[in-house]
Amino acid sequence: MAQFSLIKTPAGRRLRIEGELPDGFQGEAQGGAWLCPLDAGNAAALRRHLPWTAPVPVGLRKSVGCGDRLGLATPGHLLAVRAGDMFPVLAQQSIREMTRSRRTPQQVLDDATWGVFEADYRDGFGSDADHLKNTESIDRCIAAGYIGFTLDPGDHVDNAAHTDDPAALQAKYAALPWDALETTPNDLRQRYLGPSLAGAMSEQMLLRAACKYGPALAAAVQLARHIAAGMDGRPYDLEISVDETETPTSPAEHYFIASELLRLGVPFQGLAPRFVGRFEKGVDYIGDLAAFEADFSQHAHIARELGPYKLSIHSGSDKFSIYPIIARHCGEYVHLKTAGTSWVEALRVIAQCEPALFREILAFALDCYPTDRASYHVSAVCERVSYDLDDAGLPGLLDHFDARQALHVTFGSVLDRFREPIYAALSAHEDTYYEVLRQHFNRHIGPFVAPA
C-alpha cells in the first residue's frame, strides 16, 4: 500500500509517495519513491485516495469558518479546532477576496486539502464558496469541488425602503417581481399580517420588509436553483447572506426573509442577517452590548423556531465581547465566520520575526488604505498609527484598532507588492505562525464550547 507524506525540498514542498504511484498522481521517481508537486491534479487524486482530505456537508452542526487568504493557515486553524467542539469550514473565501489575493476557487480548495493532510486531521471539514453573486462564480466553485455555498443578493436589497414614506412603499410594493416570487400582493398580505414569531406584523412592517428584501429574495432563489441543478442531487450546504447592507435586518424582516425562502423551497442551513451595531473588519464589536443582546435574542428565537437553521455571524473574527451572548442564545445553531484575521496574525509573525519587512508593509498599507477601504465598512484612521516604536513593540501594533484594521483590508495591495517575501518569511517561521493561530483561534472558539 502506498504511503503518503509531505516533505520540504529545495524546490518547495512536495508530496512523497512510497510504493507504486497510485492512479491519478503525477510525479518524478526518486530513490524508490515518487515526488509529486502540490498541484490541482495531485490534490484531486489525494481527495479520491484519502477521502478525509475532501470537504463534507456541515449541515446544522455548530461550526467555525476559517478563511485563509494565503493558503497557509489550515494546520494552525486545526490546532485550535481540536481543542473545541466546532466543526471547521476550511476552504472559505469570497470571490472578492480571491480576486484581490490573486487566487482561484481551485487553489483555495486545494490549499485546504494539503493543510488537512499535513495536519493529519481526519474528523471532517466543510467548504464555503462565500458571498456568491452570480451563476458564473457558482459554476467555477462547483467545478473546483466546493459543496458549501453562501449566496449574497445584497446588491438587490433596497435600503431606501427602510425609510420610504407610505406612498413610495405602496408604489414599490406594486412593482415587486411577483412572478419570480411566485406569489401575489394579496397572498403576501394574507400570510404575514397579524401575529408571527417576530411579534404582530403591521401593514407598514410588511411593506418595508417586502420592498427592502423582495428583489433580493428573487435573486437568491434563482441562484439557489442554479446551485441545485449544478450539484445534480449531491448533498451540499447553503447559506443566505444579507449582512452587507446599509441598515440592520429587523426581527420582522428576518422572519419574512426566512419564511419566504422556505415557501420557495430553498434548502438553506444558515442565514446571515445584518445585526444591530457595527461589525467592522478585524476589530471587536462596536455598539451597546445590551441592545445587541436584546435584538440578537429575537433573531435566535426565530431561527430556532422557524427552522431550525444556523445564524451566521459574518465579519465575526475578533468580536470577543459578543461571543458569550451569541453562544448563550444560539446554542448549537451558530456559524462563526472569520476571514482576514488569519492574515493579520500572519503579519504579527512577520512583525515579531522580520521587523524590517513589517515596517515596509505597514508604511505601504497605510498609503493604500484610503483606496482599499472603499468596499468595506471600516473606520480606521491612519494618522492614529504610531511609527515611533522599537522592534519589540511592533507586534503590539496588531492589537491597535487603526493599525489592525488598515492592515486587514489592504491585503490585496500588500500581497501584490510583497508576496514573495511574505511567503518566504512565513515558511521560515511556519511553527510560530501555527502557534500564533492556535492561540488566536482558541479565543474565538472557547466561548462556544458546550459545558461538559
Side-chain angles (χ1 to χ4, degrees):
M1 180 181 295
Q3 300 293 318
F4 301 88
S5 60
L6 276 183
I7 63 170
K8 288 187 176 181
T9 76
R13 296 198 308 165
R14 294 290 185 268
L15 176 67
R16 187 174 191 270
I17 303 177
E18 297 181 33
E20 292 189 14
L21 190 67
D23 291 341
F25 288 98
Q26 298 292 326
E28 296 181 356
Q30 188 177 93
W34 301 86
L35 294 186
C36 307
L38 306 191
D39 59 22
N42 285 328
L46 190 70
R47 288 190 287 268
R48 288 193 299 272
H49 285 270
L50 302 178
W52 50 271
T53 65
V56 298
V58 180
L60 294 180
R61 286 179 282 196
K62 179 172 57 177
S63 51
V64 57
C66 303
D68 179 8
R69 291 171 174 173
L70 294 169
L72 303 174
T74 289
H77 291 153
L78 291 174
L79 287 173
V81 167
R82 291 181 194 272
D85 61 355
M86 299 182 90
F87 193 83
V89 178
L90 302 174
Q92 173 207 289
Q93 200 158 27
S94 67
I95 296 297
R96 176 177 65 187
E97 287 192 335
M98 292 182 200
T99 300
R100 292 187 178 185
S101 59
R102 303 196 186 282
R103 301 170 76 207
T104 66
Q106 192 67 69
Q107 287 172 319
V108 173
L109 189 77
D110 292 347
D111 286 338
T113 287
W114 295 119
V116 167
F117 176 72
E118 177 183 342
D120 194 30
Y121 185 80
R122 306 190 182 201
D123 293 334
F125 69 98
S127 61
D128 183 5
D130 198 12
H131 283 284
L132 297 169
K133 295 175 178 285
N134 55 60
T135 57
E136 185 271 336
S137 296
I138 289 170
D139 291 342
R140 290 174 64 201
C141 293
I142 291 176
Y146 283 82
I147 57 170
F149 309 90
T150 295
L151 297 180
D152 179 2
D155 292 345
H156 302 275
V157 172
D158 183 354
N159 289 289
H162 194 74
T163 54
D164 276 334
D165 62 39
L169 285 176
Q170 290 286 356
K172 287 182 176 181
Y173 188 75
L176 287 174
W178 295 106
D179 287 346
L181 293 171
E182 299 174 12
T183 190
T184 67
N186 287 336
D187 285 345
L188 202 69
R189 282 188 169 94
Q190 290 178 7
R191 278 198 299 278
Y192 290 103
L193 292 183
S196 75
L197 289 173
M201 182 87 82
S202 68
E203 171 90 1
Q204 187 178 72
M205 290 167 67
L206 173 60
L207 291 183
R208 291 202 189 282
C211 294
K212 184 176 176 181
Y213 290 106
L217 282 168
V221 169
Q222 182 256 331
L223 294 175
R225 290 175 179 171
H226 187 83
I227 290 173
M231 294 301 289
D232 193 25
R234 290 173 290 161
Y236 61 94
D237 296 310
L238 181 65
E239 177 183 307
I240 309 297
S241 166
V242 291
D243 74 295
E244 292 191 354
T245 58
E246 296 175 11
T247 55
T249 307
S250 70
E253 291 165 346
H254 174 171
Y255 174 74
F256 171 78
I257 293 166
S259 297
E260 287 300 284
L261 289 171
L262 291 169
R263 179 184 65 82
L264 290 161
V266 176
F268 68 100
Q269 290 81 40
L271 180 67
R274 162 79 151 79
F275 299 112
V276 297
R278 288 156 55 192
F279 283 71
E280 295 192 6
K281 298 293 184 182
V283 297
D284 206 344
Y285 175 77
I286 303 171
D288 182 271
L289 295 182
F292 174 79
E293 181 160 18
D295 181 74
F296 188 84
S297 65
Q298 296 180 70
H299 288 288
H301 174 71
I302 293 168
R304 185 170 54 252
E305 297 299 322
L306 196 58
Y309 49 85
K310 295 189 289 188
L311 284 182
S312 187
I313 316 301
H314 284 217
S315 297
S317 58
D318 308 302
K319 304 298 182 288
F320 302 111
S321 65
I322 59 172
Y323 293 158
I325 295 171
I326 294 169
R328 183 161 59 248
H329 290 285
C330 280
E332 293 294 307
Y333 299 119
V334 64
H335 177 61
L336 178 65
K337 187 170 290 194
T338 79
T341 197
S342 298
W343 154 256
V344 179
E345 293 305 303
L347 296 180
R348 186 189 300 278
V349 173
I350 293 174
Q352 176 182 329
C353 301
E354 307 265 356
L357 173 58
F358 178 78
R359 290 183 188 279
E360 290 185 61
I361 290 171
L362 177 63
F364 181 77
L366 295 178
D367 284 343
C368 294
Y369 175 72
T371 299
D372 290 355
R373 66 172 295 179
S375 57
Y376 293 100
H377 295 288
V378 291
S379 59
V381 177
C382 293
E383 288 74 17
R384 292 200 292 250
V385 180
S386 172
Y387 289 91
D388 188 21
L389 296 169
D390 59 20
D391 287 353
L394 290 179
L397 278 176
L398 280 304
D399 301 316
H400 182 280
F401 181 103
D402 300 281
R404 185 175 185 86
Q405 193 167 86
L407 289 164
H408 191 295
V409 302
T410 55
F411 69 95
S413 298
V414 169
L415 278 173
D416 283 346
R417 177 72 174 269
F418 297 99
R419 183 179 303 271
E420 289 188 11
I422 285 173
Y423 276 84
L426 294 174
S427 176
H429 306 284
E430 181 179 83
D431 290 342
T432 301
Y433 184 35
Y434 294 164
E435 176 58 20
V436 165
L437 286 173
R438 183 192 68 79
Q439 294 180 24
H440 189 60
F441 272 80
N442 278 346
R443 295 184 66 198
H444 289 72
I445 294 171
F448 295 92
V449 174

